[in-house]
Amino acid sequence: MKSILLIGVGQFGEILGEKLMNMGDQVMIVDKDENIINRLAPKFSNAVIANCMNADNLKALDIPSYDACVVTIADDFQSSLEITSILKDLGANYVVSKANTDIQRKFLFRVGADEVIYPNRDVAEKLAVKLNFEKVYDYIELDSTYSIFEIAVPDKWIGKSIMEANPRAVYGLNILTLKRDNQITPSPTADTVFESGDNMVVFGNTEKIIEFTNKFTNKKK
């Protein structure tokens, strides 16, 4: 269980806070809008009305006591920037800030953000990949070079073992898990034989995985 301070509770922040609580975390929500806090108070037992641009208001929240502070203010980048900076000055352990553009992302890192999320871009990129390739079911971009993809096993691999297909040496794919009939096999062995309907979760260079999907999966019409 972790303790999370969530500053700015728009739609994204509300969904994030609910998910964190469902995972057993302690969540404190803070927003300067009294109406928002009053509406969400029944869901979040820890809720405070405060203008976090005021350093004294943030200091009163005992910032170092939280495992992470998340700034999800969407409509006022200046406020997001200043609050991120103040949180680091007050000794925040880990600050995650939300950006809407690449420029915002760069500035948030400059003032001390440990991580910057870019939901609009991330969702757009994931959707583009899923729409483009029929048998790509999900993917996570780890950095600018590497990703994790869930993709269908190519038809030409059906009946072959992982050793015979040799995805790591030939295509640069590291198979993390194999999904079959809603059952997950973590770290499948080299003698595991692929069957029709199998999905595999693979890790590797993003460009190489996309090249692989271009070669072995059908593009959507």
Side-chain angles (χ1 to χ4, degrees):
M1 182 177 69
K2 292 190 174 184
S3 58
I4 310 295
L5 176 63
L6 189 55
I7 299 174
V9 198
Q11 185 178 32
F12 177 83
E14 182 179 351
I15 294 171
L16 175 62
E18 289 180 349
K19 182 64 175 179
L20 289 168
M21 286 197 303
N22 290 339
M23 294 173 68
D25 294 328
Q26 292 183 340
V27 179
M28 167 71 83
I29 64 169
V30 185
D31 201 290
K32 66 180 181 180
D33 190 324
E34 181 177 356
N35 293 327
I36 289 177
I37 295 300
N38 288 339
R39 179 177 64 83
L40 296 177
K43 293 183 182 179
F44 297 88
S45 56
N46 299 316
V48 173
I49 302 168
N51 183 352
C52 292
M53 289 280 284
N54 186 315
D56 290 335
N57 289 343
L58 282 177
K59 189 174 182 180
L61 295 171
D62 189 16
I63 298 304
S65 67
Y66 294 95
D67 293 302
C69 300
V70 185
V71 184
T72 64
I73 300 171
D75 57 352
D76 187 348
F77 178 65
Q78 184 63 33
S79 294
S80 179
L81 198 65
E82 293 188 28
I83 291 169
T84 298
S85 179
I86 294 171
L87 286 170
K88 295 304 292 186
D89 289 343
L90 292 176
N93 291 302
Y94 196 81
V95 177
V96 182
S97 298
K98 180 175 177 286
N100 291 322
T101 67
D102 286 330
I103 294 297
Q104 289 182 0
R105 183 173 180 271
K106 291 178 182 179
F107 276 106
L108 286 165
F109 275 128
R110 286 182 185 177
V111 299
D114 297 288
E115 182 178 350
V116 177
I117 55 174
Y118 198 162
N120 292 341
R121 184 195 65 182
D122 294 344
V123 170
E125 289 182 350
K126 291 185 73 171
L127 182 58
V129 171
K130 292 176 72 174
L131 288 175
N132 199 43
F133 299 102
E134 184 176 342
K135 296 184 179 181
V136 173
Y137 299 100
D138 201 2
Y139 93 100
I140 301 172
E141 182 179 308
L142 300 178
D143 60 20
S144 60
T145 304
Y146 294 98
S147 297
I148 295 173
F149 278 66
E150 180 185 343
I151 56 181
V153 170
D155 291 340
K156 68 175 295 182
W157 289 6
I158 304 304
K160 292 184 178 180
S161 68
I162 291 178
M163 180 182 295
E164 290 172 320
N166 205 6
R168 185 173 185 177
V170 179
Y171 305 105
L173 304 183
N174 298 279
I175 299 179
L176 304 179
T177 63
L178 193 67
K179 298 177 68 175
R180 176 179 297 161
D181 297 327
N182 295 320
Q183 298 294 318
I184 296 177
T185 302
S187 303
T189 59
D191 58 357
T192 298
V193 176
F194 294 113
E195 296 181 7
S196 179
D198 284 354
N199 286 358
M200 55 184 178
V201 178
V202 300
F203 163 79
N205 179 280
T206 305
E207 291 185 0
K208 287 185 177 181
I209 297 177
I210 290 177
E211 181 181 342
F212 174 84
T213 60
N214 267 318
K215 186 174 183 179
F216 290 109
T217 71
N218 296 323
K219 296 191 74 171
K220 290 191 173 181
K221 304 298 184 182

